[in-house]
Amino acid sequence: MAVSKSFLVSSKLETLLSNPNDPSSSPAPLIRIPTCPMNNNGSRRGLIQRARCEISSSKAASVSALEQLKTSAIDRYTKERSSIVVIGLNIHTAPVEMREKLAIPEAEWPRAITELCNLNHIEEAAVLSTCNRMEIYVLALSQHRGVKEVTEWMSKTSGIPVSDLCHHRFVMYDKDVTQHLFQVSAGLDSLVLGEGQILAQVKQVVNLGQGVNGFGRHISGLFKKAITAGKRARTETNIAAGAVSVSSAAVELALMKLPAHASSSSARMLVVGAGKMGKLVIKHLVAKGCTKMVVVNRSEERVVAIRQEMPPGVEIVYKPFDEMLTCAGEADVVFTSTASESPLFLKEHVESLPPVADGRLFVDISVPRNVDSCVGELDSARVYNVDDLKEVVAANKEDRAKKAMEAQGIIAEESKQFEAWRDSLETVPTIKKLREYCERTRAGLVERFMSKHGDGMDKKTWKAVEDLTRSVVNKILHGPMQHLRCDGSDSRTLKETLENMQALNRMYGLDVELLEDKIRVKVEQK
């Protein structure tokens, strides 16, 4: 029976996984054998039964089952390894209007991981969502289909058309993903070189991903190694020396835009929001010489805590949110950094405020934005958001390039170590399956022997037979296992090791079992 090469295994995955609990939704089999129906007791058991049924039924064909597997599209999922992919939009590729629609709060990251892993071709996932970037990291069974599914998911959750996402997104695979994330963690991809907040955010991905089904070995390993790379880059190159965070850049931008007669000590400062970013703004203002400011927040407790951390002589005045517009009318500079999903300052609000010399300055470092874009149309206001911080960064290009080059050497070293670790995982499923196959064979033969010749055999002799047969199996497996090693301990290349793995898969019929495991995992995720 010939195999249709045009029939893709991914079709099977898509149809089955769209409704794993409904046996009626079962797709056509890998090998077209109509006499092997889906098991009505459940999709997972049915899948395994079908795969085995297909093999047994095809034995009668002129082409062996293994040859059919070898020449069919099943090879895509057993010979090719899954790819690590990042699909993202950041400050370099997409405007803030698009990024704020894509933003996912930290509390929603575990839910997003679960939803992403429910997609047909996604095995593992992680979300890195900050004010400057929205990046989805996945382990995909298929590069093309994985990217397509994630992009459609991003469109569905944000309301942005797929065509617009495709225009602004960037996509990377495998080694390029590793290098990109390590650069992000080291602060090399940030607006401000070496900013420390991004490393903390990468750590948070790991913290929130622990225990989440879908934050698996490959993706979690990638992020953990990124943390190591980021720490090394900062420690060994002093890349963070003199560098600032987004909040620090916001303060520098505000001071650059002050009128000539004003200074950090004389300008009236208002900070809306006393969260992490707001607290950093306050600290940077104090570091620049500001000794008095008003802080608007929903609760006074946070403001009191921040006040206690300030040096003597710094006056921080707390005001509740219902007095925000009044406070803004008395300020020269307004910083906003809240988690509000709708603008706090609308055009009509700002238009009614008393004017100040050279226009009131709004520095909005929130995503979504706290200051409506229409406010910038007023002559009485000057509005800046996170995209405008590029002006601050431009002043230190030469030093940034020098430190970045030093950090790149560390990133290359850490990337090589991660890729070697990931390569070492490639042959693990085959090693496991080959051992299971040999153990099943050994145990079956021993049981058959004992049923015929074991009467009257004492326990010591029985144990000796078990030990002897296990020793024989281990001796026979020693050579194949040595040729499946992929840990850099010998001169064998990854290509040679993978060829050995594929040969063993074919010889012992492990291809279908490996595919069953992949499908089983997807069904369990569903």
Side-chain angles (χ1 to χ4, degrees):
M1 181 181 294
V3 177
S4 172
K5 295 184 180 181
S6 63
F7 183 85
L8 297 178
V9 174
S10 54
S11 300
K12 175 171 185 161
L13 285 172
E14 286 171 352
T15 308
L16 171 75
L17 295 174
S18 63
N19 192 355
N21 296 317
D22 181 9
S24 65
S25 66
S26 305
L30 291 174
I31 302 173
R32 297 182 183 275
I33 302 176
T35 59
C36 296
M38 184 66 173
N39 189 325
N40 288 326
N41 292 330
S43 58
R44 185 172 66 171
R45 289 176 57 193
L47 261 179
I48 298 170
Q49 178 189 358
R50 168 172 291 159
R52 298 190 189 284
C53 184
E54 287 157 1
I55 297 299
S56 60
S57 299
S58 62
K59 286 181 178 178
S62 58
V63 182
S64 72
L66 286 180
E67 279 303 308
Q68 292 186 44
L69 289 173
K70 181 179 176 182
T71 57
S72 72
I74 194 173
D75 251 10
R76 264 182 70 196
Y77 291 92
T78 56
K79 289 181 67 173
E80 294 183 15
R81 77 177 189 176
S82 299
S83 297
I84 292 180
V85 186
V86 59
I87 303 97
L89 299 92
N90 59 28
I91 196 167
H92 306 299
T93 69
V96 66
E97 292 88 354
M98 182 172 288
R99 298 199 311 276
E100 65 187 4
K101 292 180 181 178
L102 288 160
I104 300 176
E106 286 185 2
E108 295 295 317
W109 290 0
R111 175 193 58 78
I113 291 173
T114 301
E115 289 185 5
L116 286 163
C117 289
N118 281 336
L119 301 176
N120 292 346
H121 292 81
I122 304 304
E123 298 178 276
E124 301 176 13
V127 176
L128 179 60
S129 179
T130 73
C131 59
N132 286 337
R133 66 185 69 250
M134 167 55 175
E135 298 177 357
I136 305 292
Y137 293 80
V138 297
L139 183 70
L141 287 165
S142 163
Q143 288 186 357
H144 171 72
R145 291 175 180 270
V147 171
K148 181 176 181 291
E149 289 171 359
V150 172
T151 303
E152 290 172 349
W153 179 86
M154 293 172 75
S155 174
K156 180 180 178 181
T157 57
S158 67
I160 301 173
V162 169
S163 57
D164 290 349
L165 289 174
C166 291
H167 181 70
H168 291 280
R169 77 182 181 191
F170 64 89
V171 180
M172 297 180 185
Y173 304 99
D174 297 317
K175 292 182 180 180
D176 290 338
V177 176
T178 304
Q179 185 175 15
H180 170 73
L181 182 58
F182 289 10
Q183 289 175 338
V184 168
S185 184
L188 301 186
D189 195 56
S190 302
L191 272 181
V192 181
L193 176 71
E195 60 121 334
Q197 285 173 263
I198 188 61
L199 179 58
Q201 288 158 336
V202 172
K203 290 180 181 178
Q204 191 67 349
V205 172
V206 176
N207 293 337
L208 294 175
Q210 298 297 334
V212 178
N213 186 23
F215 190 67
R217 176 187 288 184
H218 292 79
I219 296 297
S220 65
L222 173 66
F223 273 82
K224 288 174 182 176
K225 195 63 173 176
I227 294 170
T228 300
K231 287 180 177 178
R232 279 194 62 196
R234 284 171 168 76
T235 303
E236 298 179 24
T237 68
N238 205 24
I239 195 172
V244 290
S245 64
V246 170
S247 53
S248 175
V251 171
E252 289 190 22
L253 176 63
L255 298 180
M256 287 170 54
K257 299 298 182 181
L258 283 176
H261 64 273
S263 66
S264 60
S265 59
S266 63
R268 299 171 296 173
M269 303 291 187
L270 170 64
V271 179
V272 181
K276 292 179 182 179
M277 296 291 284
K279 181 179 178 180
L280 289 171
V281 168
I282 294 169
K283 285 186 173 182
H284 291 306
L285 284 171
V286 171
K288 293 294 183 180
C290 180
T291 57
K292 181 178 180 180
M293 67 196 75
V294 176
V295 179
V296 170
N297 197 56
R298 298 193 186 280
S299 64
E300 188 175 3
E301 288 79 8
R302 282 190 176 183
V303 180
V304 171
I306 294 172
R307 186 187 294 136
Q308 292 173 347
E309 296 180 25
M310 294 300 114
V314 175
E315 182 181 359
I316 298 178
V317 180
Y318 165 74
K319 294 292 182 181
F321 248 97
D322 56 10
E323 296 184 31
M324 181 184 68
L325 291 179
T326 302
C327 295
E330 299 170 353
D332 299 309
V333 182
V334 179
F335 294 92
T336 61
S337 61
T338 79
S340 173
E341 295 185 1
S342 57
L344 301 177
F345 290 94
L346 301 176
K347 185 176 181 181
E348 54 267 30
H349 296 155
V350 178
E351 200 168 20
S352 63
L353 298 178
V356 297
D358 296 325
R360 184 171 282 101
L361 183 61
F362 288 86
V363 183
D364 185 3
I365 57 175
S366 304
V367 177
R369 290 172 292 177
N370 290 166
V371 181
D372 192 77
S373 58
C374 296
V375 174
E377 299 172 2
L378 299 173
D379 294 334
S380 60
R382 293 175 292 158
V383 181
Y384 299 93
N385 58 44
V386 289
D387 286 359
D388 298 308
L389 298 179
K390 295 176 183 179
E391 192 174 333
V392 177
V393 178
N396 204 18
K397 270 190 174 181
E398 186 176 345
D399 187 51
R400 177 175 60 184
K402 181 180 178 181
K403 291 180 178 178
M405 287 182 65
E406 294 175 15
Q408 289 291 5
I410 295 171
I411 288 171
E413 182 181 329
E414 292 291 337
S415 298
K416 186 177 180 180
Q417 291 178 12
F418 173 76
E419 292 300 329
W421 171 79
R422 189 174 173 228
D423 290 343
S424 71
L425 301 179
E426 274 303 291
T427 57
V428 170
T430 292
I431 291 173
K432 181 181 177 182
K433 287 295 179 186
L434 184 57
R435 283 197 175 278
E436 290 174 354
Y437 171 84
C438 292
E439 175 57 25
R440 285 197 308 269
T441 303
R442 183 203 68 81
L445 291 173
V446 169
E447 183 179 359
R448 189 183 307 171
F449 172 81
M450 291 299 184
S451 67
K452 293 181 178 179
H453 309 289
D455 290 345
M457 186 180 294
D458 57 49
K459 290 184 178 180
K460 184 177 180 180
T461 305
W462 189 301
K463 183 177 183 299
V465 172
E466 286 282 332
D467 291 344
L468 176 64
T469 54
R470 283 196 175 94
S471 177
V472 170
V473 168
N474 288 335
K475 287 286 186 182
I476 294 173
L477 284 178
H478 178 72
M481 293 303 171
Q482 285 292 104
H483 283 76
L484 288 178
R485 290 178 62 179
C486 191
D487 55 8
S489 59
D490 53 38
S491 59
R492 191 176 301 109
T493 65
L494 174 63
K495 183 174 181 292
E496 291 171 331
T497 302
L498 294 181
E499 287 175 350
N500 293 335
M501 179 189 74
Q502 291 156 12
L504 286 168
N505 286 343
R506 291 193 299 271
M507 285 187 287
Y508 291 94
L510 306 179
D511 304 70
V512 171
E513 290 190 26
L514 292 170
L515 179 63
E516 285 177 5
D517 285 350
K518 285 189 175 184
I519 297 177
R520 184 182 298 112
V521 169
K522 289 303 299 176
V523 171
E524 289 172 352
Q525 286 176 342
K526 281 284 188 181

